[in-house]
Amino acid sequence: MFRVIVRSSISLAAFAAGFPLSAAEAANAAATSEEDSIVVTATRAPLALDEVPSTITVLDKAAIDRSQDIGATELLLRTPGITVSRNGGYGTTTSLRIRGAESDHTVVVIDGVKLNDPAASGGGYNFGHLLVGDMERIEVLRGPQSILWGSQAIGGVVNIVTTIPEKPLEGSFDIEAGSRNTVSARAAIGGRTGPLSWRIGGQSFTTDGISAISPAFGGVERDGYRNRGVTGRAELALASNFSVEVRGYYSKARVNLDSTRADTPDYAFNQEFLGYAGARLDLLDGRFRNRISYSYTATERENYGPLRARPVSLEARGENRRWEYQGNIGLMRGVSAVFGAENERSQFRSRSPDASLARPLPPFANGKAEVTSVYGQISVEPVDGLTINGGVRYDDHDRFGGQTLFAAGGVWRLPTGTILRTNYGEGFKAPTLYQMFSQYGNAALDPEEAHGWEAGIEQHLFGRALTVVATWFDRTTTNQIVYTPDATCNAASTNPLCFEPGSTTVRTAYYLNVARGKAQGIEAAAALTLGALTLDGNYSWIVTEDRSPGGANFDKDLPRRPRHAANASVSYALPFGLDIGAALRWSHKSFDDAPNSIVLDAYTLVDLRAESKLSENVRLFARAENVFDEQYMTAYRYGTLGRAIYAGFRGRF
């Protein structure tokens, strides 16, 4: 159905990694052959595609268009090692896990800026509101990546790149409609003239949706969703070696909700904002590149229950402010280094008012944290075909002191078309502000830590018409923070954790460092191109277990993580301009709870797609999702999208 490029990008890769190329350099990069492509996500500096030891999957613009997906989650779910759970239809809470890691162990980056919510319980990112919009490319980097991407990158990184213009004036549009009164429209326009390049895009999405609670549990009413967003970026070259750039992203969404057991008229608002300003200076004939930037992100959430005496049930806002310097230097032939310094300040406020007006409105729980970091990574090619790199990072957290992390890896490219790679990385995630300062907070928490390694082989055959990849990975996470109920808490308790921070209010749950997790498995993928026929597929075997010593759930599978998952797709381009394709998604059973008492059954989904070329610039497309109307759940009691049909037009000029 679409082509997945494993390990490398084929276009514009340098824009994403927080060390952007100029518009002219990006255009040149896009014109290179696949063998000479540039990938920057893993190292935050340009490297040939076969010189990166970490496992990367890249979805380029052609793949994004062919998939016809509205949400980024659907695209990501088709790649190896990714599992997703969602509390209903579009817009509901959506958790993405890489190689079985916790959902908040994934760093999400949009145009080089990390986007997470410090007011969320795990401080992570809700993928439920991430639409495809003006995305040019999506990169998935697996395994611990905290050396270059900082806290939270224990599972991996999802890096999103919006489109950068190449022509004096260019644009695009997509409009489609279909089942459940779903309408999606997006458009963008931009250009590059002399020293200035710019682009702005927007998207609107509405749907009547499905019942968030599964019909099997009494869900009847539809829970609708709407999302409107805009992205923009501009770059100005003030000299041949000096440029400045600004970027922005904003979205506002409204989704109807249900309780965990019944239909309700509840609803929620979600707003996300990202702003970036940076400057770049190249020295030593471009061999020494420097970037300094400032970014700001904010996520605001509000939940409402119209039937409550006090309608507002949640108010939360999380903010990040981040200064960064990054340098990249070519020391000599075959030796390069990337290094930098960062300062990140985060803060949150949150409260959950009681429904009864008899109880006073509680004050906001507030908290802030600051971390200053330095990092460096060096890459060496001692002999032709062999690349070795190593890195170190030091984080100085204002609450947890210093933490030093290491990483190392290597890639060996053989003349037989075989590539061998191995990589080791460490992760570190400080407790979130919510985990420390909310009504369930515990200021005495320790950071979560992880270490993992991987080893893989990639084989190209028949002039790269066939590519086969297999990777083994292993990761251990310690000091995991878990929401812990405590039925013994009462007003006479001597345990200080039985009371909300700074008050005498009794609580019956709090956060503790009580968990240890183990994940290991195999990812395998293959892609074959035979003229107009393209076949690809992947399989993931992921064993994630609770390894908490003495715990009641020792050796149990971690919730909502199927051990087996597979994807396959086929696409054929007919000579008269019609492309047809099909995709299959199979997921093994999983468990919804820690004791493994609630089973989420296995399921198989089949999608069909077609696309017809109306002119050089305009295409008509249609697709059918979940053709056989499979009934399944990725989270217990919550519904999933059944059969749906969509059609629309796409234009690129």
Side-chain angles (χ1 to χ4, degrees):
M1 186 170 184
F2 60 86
R3 186 162 177 235
V4 176
I5 301 164
V6 182
R7 299 275 318 122
S8 61
S9 169
I10 64 171
S11 62
L12 305 186
F15 273 100
F19 206 134
L21 297 178
S22 67
E25 289 171 319
N28 292 336
T32 62
S33 68
E34 180 172 326
E35 289 80 359
D36 297 326
S37 309
I38 295 173
V39 61
V40 296
T41 303
T43 60
R44 303 184 74 169
L47 277 181
L49 65 90
D50 291 338
E51 295 179 0
V52 182
S54 298
T55 304
I56 305 173
T57 298
V58 177
L59 305 174
D60 66 357
K61 185 61 173 177
I64 294 172
D65 283 349
R66 281 194 296 271
S67 75
Q68 302 181 16
D69 288 318
I70 296 172
T73 302
E74 286 69 34
L75 274 164
L76 294 167
L77 189 57
R78 305 176 196 271
T79 64
I82 301 294
T83 57
V84 170
S85 58
R86 175 182 278 165
N87 293 355
Y90 283 113
T92 55
T93 300
T94 303
S95 300
L96 180 142
R97 299 176 178 88
I98 299 178
R99 290 179 172 174
E102 297 297 328
S103 60
D104 50 47
H105 288 172
T106 296
V107 166
V108 179
V109 182
I110 298 180
D111 287 334
V113 181
K114 289 167 55 177
L115 184 61
N116 68 300
D117 180 9
S121 58
Y125 181 75
N126 176 12
F127 280 82
H129 303 293
L130 186 60
L131 304 180
V132 170
D134 200 31
M135 294 179 185
E136 178 72 20
R137 192 181 66 262
I138 304 175
E139 303 175 343
V140 183
L141 176 61
R142 300 180 183 86
Q145 304 295 332
S146 290
I147 298 297
L148 297 178
W149 293 101
S151 180
Q152 289 187 288
I154 290 175
V157 176
V158 174
N159 192 35
I160 296 161
V161 188
T162 61
T163 303
I164 192 75
E166 301 175 18
K167 304 175 184 178
L169 184 65
E170 63 182 45
S172 65
F173 70 85
D174 300 72
I175 184 167
E176 63 181 282
S179 301
R180 307 178 190 93
N181 291 323
T182 299
V183 178
S184 176
R186 55 182 183 258
I189 190 168
R192 180 163 59 90
T193 304
L196 176 66
S197 64
W198 62 276
R199 187 173 176 98
I200 186 170
Q203 179 165 7
S204 175
F205 174 77
T206 61
T207 181
D208 286 350
I210 61 171
S211 174
I213 290 297
S214 169
F217 293 91
V220 177
E221 65 171 8
R222 290 187 172 183
D223 293 304
Y225 176 63
R226 69 170 184 259
N227 187 332
R228 295 178 175 87
V230 62
T231 62
R233 62 190 305 165
E235 181 184 359
L236 178 64
L238 300 176
S240 60
N241 65 336
F242 181 68
S243 63
V244 294
E245 184 177 14
V246 293
R247 311 170 195 162
Y249 164 79
Y250 173 78
S251 75
K252 183 175 183 179
R254 183 190 190 276
V255 60
N256 290 352
L257 305 172
D258 285 334
S259 73
T260 58
R261 295 186 176 274
D263 283 330
T264 68
D266 294 5
Y267 58 94
F269 288 104
N270 186 91
Q271 293 187 79
E272 296 173 357
F273 173 78
L274 177 156
Y276 169 96
R280 195 193 69 182
L281 176 65
D282 295 345
L283 302 172
L284 303 178
D285 295 325
R287 291 188 298 110
F288 183 22
R289 305 173 64 194
N290 302 268
R291 177 180 61 86
I292 187 170
S293 65
Y294 173 79
S295 61
Y296 170 78
T297 64
T299 303
E300 189 164 345
R301 295 176 290 123
E302 295 176 334
N303 290 6
Y304 293 87
L307 302 182
R308 291 164 45 111
R310 179 180 283 133
V312 179
S313 59
L314 172 69
E315 297 174 273
R317 180 180 176 87
E319 299 177 76
N320 285 310
R321 293 171 174 83
R322 182 184 183 89
W323 285 98
E324 181 179 4
Y325 164 77
Q326 184 179 321
N328 176 31
I329 187 168
L331 299 173
M332 61 183 71
R333 185 182 182 278
V335 181
S336 63
V338 58
F339 50 90
E342 303 169 347
N343 176 265
E344 181 177 276
R345 290 170 293 153
S346 57
Q347 64 184 52
F348 95 113
R349 66 175 188 179
S350 176
R351 66 180 175 186
S352 299
D354 192 271
S356 173
L357 295 176
R359 297 190 178 183
L361 193 66
F364 281 103
N366 293 277
K368 62 178 65 175
E370 181 176 359
V371 58
T372 301
S373 309
V374 293
Y375 63 87
Q377 181 166 286
I378 190 167
S379 179
V380 179
E381 188 174 3
V383 296
D384 289 343
L386 177 63
T387 300
I388 301 172
N389 66 26
V392 62
R393 182 185 186 92
Y394 179 78
D395 288 330
D396 182 17
H397 197 286
D398 65 348
R399 294 183 179 275
F400 301 102
Q403 178 79 25
T404 303
L405 304 173
F406 298 94
V411 182
W412 190 12
R413 304 171 296 282
L414 302 175
T416 58
T418 305
I419 302 173
L420 305 175
R421 59 182 57 86
T422 186
N423 190 53
Y424 169 83
E426 297 177 343
F428 159 79
K429 180 177 181 290
T432 68
L433 296 175
Y434 188 91
Q435 290 167 342
M436 290 189 291
F437 302 115
S438 72
Q439 63 268 43
Y440 307 108
N442 177 5
L445 291 171
D446 293 322
E448 298 176 324
E449 299 180 7
H451 62 271
W453 63 274
E454 62 180 293
I457 181 171
E458 177 179 341
Q459 181 66 56
H460 298 281
L461 298 168
F462 312 118
R464 288 185 176 252
L466 173 63
T467 299
V468 181
V469 183
T471 303
W472 168 269
F473 67 89
D474 187 288
R475 184 190 64 253
T476 300
T477 307
T478 58
N479 279 341
Q480 283 191 257
I481 299 170
V482 176
Y483 177 80
T484 307
D486 187 344
T488 67
C489 288
N490 55 56
S493 296
T494 58
N495 180 2
L497 291 176
C498 287
F499 303 91
E500 293 185 10
S503 76
T504 57
T505 302
V506 177
R507 61 184 182 182
T508 56
Y510 41 80
Y511 287 99
L512 282 178
N513 295 99
V514 295
R516 177 187 179 97
K518 175 75 172 179
Q520 60 184 5
I522 296 173
E523 296 167 345
L528 173 65
T529 301
L530 295 173
L533 177 67
T534 300
L535 300 167
D536 62 64
N538 61 72
Y539 165 76
S540 302
W541 174 66
I542 304 174
V543 178
T544 56
E545 295 177 331
D546 187 331
R547 307 295 293 177
S548 306
N553 300 313
F554 185 80
D555 265 357
K556 300 287 188 179
D557 285 4
L558 295 178
R560 301 178 180 178
R561 294 159 172 85
R563 288 199 172 196
H564 306 275
N567 296 277
S569 70
V570 58
S571 180
Y572 188 77
L574 295 167
F576 52 88
L578 177 65
D579 296 343
I580 56 175
L584 180 144
R585 165 76 179 174
W586 174 78
S587 176
H588 190 243
K589 72 175 183 180
S590 61
F591 301 98
D592 192 73
D593 59 342
N596 292 180
S597 60
I598 300 175
V599 177
L600 301 175
D601 292 334
Y603 61 89
T604 302
L605 306 179
V606 176
D607 301 337
L608 303 176
R609 58 164 287 275
E611 185 174 307
S612 179
K613 185 177 180 180
L614 301 182
S615 70
E616 287 300 318
N617 299 320
V618 179
R619 289 179 175 265
L620 169 68
F621 62 86
R623 70 184 180 279
E625 297 179 349
N626 193 0
V627 173
F628 299 106
D629 201 26
E630 179 91 344
Q631 303 299 305
Y632 65 103
M633 290 183 290
T634 60
Y636 188 61
R637 292 184 175 272
Y638 289 103
T640 52
L641 295 169
R643 183 188 298 114
I645 299 174
Y646 305 93
F649 293 90
R650 175 187 306 119
R652 305 286 184 264
F653 61 90

